[in-house]
Amino acid sequence: MIADIDDEASEIVLLIHWVGGVHTELRLPKRRRGQRNSTSGDIISAVRQLVLIANDDLIAGILNRNGLVTGHGNRWTRERVTAHRSHHKIPVFRPAADGKEPWLNLNKAARLLGVAPKTLRLAAEAGEVVGVHPLPDGPWIFSRSTLDEPAAQRIVHRARQNPKYPTGSHPDQQNLFTSTT
């Protein structure tokens, strides 16, 4: 193998000699002086919020679904999220021992209020209820204490007053999937 530096293209050129006389040229970008491979601040902020409701495995999936990569350009894995959290001193997600999570995703928050998830999402998008949506293709995050406030109760009351747009499934609606237990 022969290594050379192409200063004009700012690349490292590797020439690999294979048995049989075949040669392969690889060109790798050369890091410029002062260049760092660090994760963007937006991703750090998103992980700080996602850790309120999700474990490292789920966070990795959410980051990948949004097309985000690590500072080195790699896809996210559970191990990379764990290392990222450790480096930035972000606590690990731990489910509440009593089952009353202080932070809820959209479906759990809607179930707690007794409304359809779409009703709650539209209210959050309109700013009627406080919710955090750290990534475009990611979960909504709601504080349990926020859902007890009058603003959330007004949404529940308004949704129940409008029979044309019900808040949830009709009580007589049957389940599509039969029980497997």
Side-chain angles (χ1 to χ4, degrees):
M1 177 172 17
I2 299 173
D4 192 16
I5 296 177
D6 183 354
D7 285 324
E8 283 185 27
S10 189
E11 293 178 327
I12 300 171
V13 182
L14 300 173
L15 187 61
I16 304 170
H17 296 278
W18 300 97
V19 175
V22 177
H23 305 310
T24 304
E25 181 179 283
L26 292 176
R27 292 183 164 266
L28 304 169
K30 183 176 138 186
R31 277 181 36 178
R32 292 178 298 280
R33 184 180 190 111
Q35 178 184 0
R36 294 179 20 200
N37 292 339
S38 61
T39 306
S40 79
D42 293 342
I43 295 174
I44 296 168
S45 174
V47 170
R48 283 189 195 283
Q49 293 171 336
L50 291 171
V51 80
L52 297 172
I53 62 164
N55 61 25
D56 292 350
D57 232 357
L58 187 57
I59 292 172
I62 293 167
L63 293 172
N64 288 329
R65 188 171 59 229
N66 280 275
L68 302 174
V69 293
T70 67
H72 292 289
N74 297 318
R75 289 181 52 80
W76 287 95
T77 62
R78 179 184 60 223
E79 292 79 14
R80 288 181 179 138
V81 172
T82 302
H84 175 80
R85 272 191 318 88
S86 177
H87 179 74
H88 293 283
K89 297 177 178 49
I90 300 172
V92 67
F93 168 73
R94 297 223 188 273
D98 62 356
K100 289 194 168 202
E101 302 292 336
W103 298 94
L104 305 167
N105 66 19
L106 178 65
N107 287 333
K108 290 179 182 177
R111 193 175 315 126
L112 177 72
L113 290 175
V115 298
K118 183 176 180 180
T119 302
L120 183 57
R121 180 181 53 81
L122 291 173
E125 287 174 351
E128 297 176 40
V129 109
V130 178
V132 180
H133 194 220
L135 296 170
D137 195 9
W140 278 88
I141 303 170
F142 297 92
S143 168
R144 183 181 289 270
S145 60
T146 302
L147 300 176
D148 292 334
E149 292 178 358
Q153 297 309 315
R154 279 193 299 274
I155 293 165
V156 172
H157 179 71
R158 186 180 67 220
R160 290 193 177 137
Q161 294 300 314
N162 192 347
K164 186 175 179 184
Y165 301 102
T167 60
S169 302
H170 191 275
D172 297 333
Q173 182 176 347
Q174 295 179 358
N175 190 353
L176 179 61
F177 303 102
T178 58
S179 177
T180 58
T181 57

